[in-house]
Amino acid sequence: MTFAELHPALQALIATCFTWGMTALGAAVVFLTKNITKKTLDIMLGFAAGVMIAASYWSLLAPAIEMSEGLGSLKWVPALVGFLSGAFFLRLVDMFLPHLHIHAKMDEAEGVSTSWKRSTLLVLAITLHNIPEGLAVGVAFGAVAAGYPSATLAGAIALAIGIGIQNFPEGTAVSVPLRRDGMSRAKSFWYGQLSGIVEPIAGVLGALAVVVAQPILPYALAFAAGAMIFVVVEEVIPESQASGYGDLATMGCIVGFGVMMTLDVALG
């Protein structure tokens, strides 16, 4: 049996295990060094932001709009409703989930008050990034199974590759600061890769949801896009600009956008 013949939920599981693996690979950098500069980290975060922005349009919003063509003058409704819903959902999670941004101090932790350790809060911050990423990949494979012309297997694979590429710096962004704070290499790696475990879960749930209820597919694609854009604007870009290397982080964002756009257009 080929990959194309597998159930979309299984396809999504395999694809998101790859993206999780890329997070683990990024976290494994901690075995080589504990002193990645903030400049390098900011460039990597900028790159991740560019990939997420490009994926949100090319792989999610554009197909959602195409799938709504039969609604006449209201074809923009699913994309708008889904996009806003995704952003508001992540805003609620952001308000209540305890988490700590990469460059922040402990007294700057967000969400409800908690006595959790810095390591846990850092992992939860990156986990928050990974929820919409896993969901996006799962919904993309579900869209292929639904038979929409605008949804292709190559496009879904391209999205998974793009998300995987940008997960590498996210894994590094967790493990290296933990190592710098004195945690062992093994524990730093463990916490770094742990942030990606939510992606297979979200991916499978996303694929199953659109297979079972195909009419929600345009909304689901746009929902994932809104959630991803929220994460980019609220967390990834501000973090990449926080240490005085904004110009380099911006160029990293441009390169990341170009890479994801190329992947989607060339493969999708």
Side-chain angles (χ1 to χ4, degrees), residues 29-264:
V29 169
V30 77
F31 291 110
L32 305 177
T33 180
K34 66 175 182 179
N35 291 315
I36 290 181
T37 65
K38 288 186 176 180
K39 178 192 293 186
T40 301
L41 195 57
D42 287 349
I43 293 172
M44 295 169 74
L45 286 172
F47 179 88
V51 170
M52 293 174 74
I53 292 170
S56 295
Y57 176 73
W58 295 100
S59 300
L60 300 171
L61 276 178
I65 294 171
E66 289 182 28
M67 292 174 189
S68 304
E69 289 292 336
L71 298 178
S73 61
L74 297 178
K75 63 183 181 182
W76 51 269
V77 170
L80 178 62
V81 172
F83 185 83
L84 294 178
S85 298
F88 284 127
F89 172 76
L90 257 291
R91 172 55 183 155
L92 288 174
V93 175
D94 183 71
M95 287 174 60
F96 294 104
L97 180 71
H99 62 284
L100 182 69
H101 298 302
I102 294 167
H103 298 309
K105 299 176 182 178
M106 278 298 291
D107 59 3
E108 297 174 325
E110 299 181 10
V112 297
S113 179
T114 179
S115 60
W116 292 346
K117 295 181 179 180
R118 175 181 174 82
S119 57
T120 303
L121 295 175
L122 280 171
V123 170
L124 288 175
I126 302 299
T127 299
L128 185 64
H129 296 185
N130 290 340
I131 292 173
E133 294 168 10
L135 181 63
V137 173
V139 171
F141 281 101
V144 176
Y148 285 92
S150 57
T152 66
L153 182 61
I157 293 174
L159 175 60
I161 293 173
I163 295 296
I165 291 173
Q166 67 92 38
N167 274 359
F168 183 93
E170 289 189 348
T172 304
V174 175
S175 64
V176 170
L178 292 177
R179 176 59 180 157
R180 192 185 298 130
D181 289 344
M183 186 175 288
S184 70
R185 285 186 171 88
K187 283 189 175 181
S188 298
F189 167 76
W190 171 254
Y191 282 115
Q193 65 81 33
L194 191 63
S195 64
I197 195 171
V198 70
E199 290 198 3
I201 299 171
V204 171
L205 290 177
L208 289 175
V210 298
V211 168
V212 172
Q214 291 188 15
I216 72 168
L217 183 53
Y219 296 90
L221 287 166
F223 181 96
M228 287 179 67
I229 292 297
F230 176 88
V231 167
V232 170
V233 176
E234 204 274 339
E235 297 191 21
V236 182
I237 289 179
E239 288 174 10
S240 73
Q241 304 280 326
S243 301
Y245 303 105
D247 290 342
L248 292 174
T250 299
M251 292 311 300
C253 182
I254 297 300
V255 172
F257 187 98
V259 168
M260 186 64 233
M261 180 179 66
T262 301
L263 278 172
D264 193 273

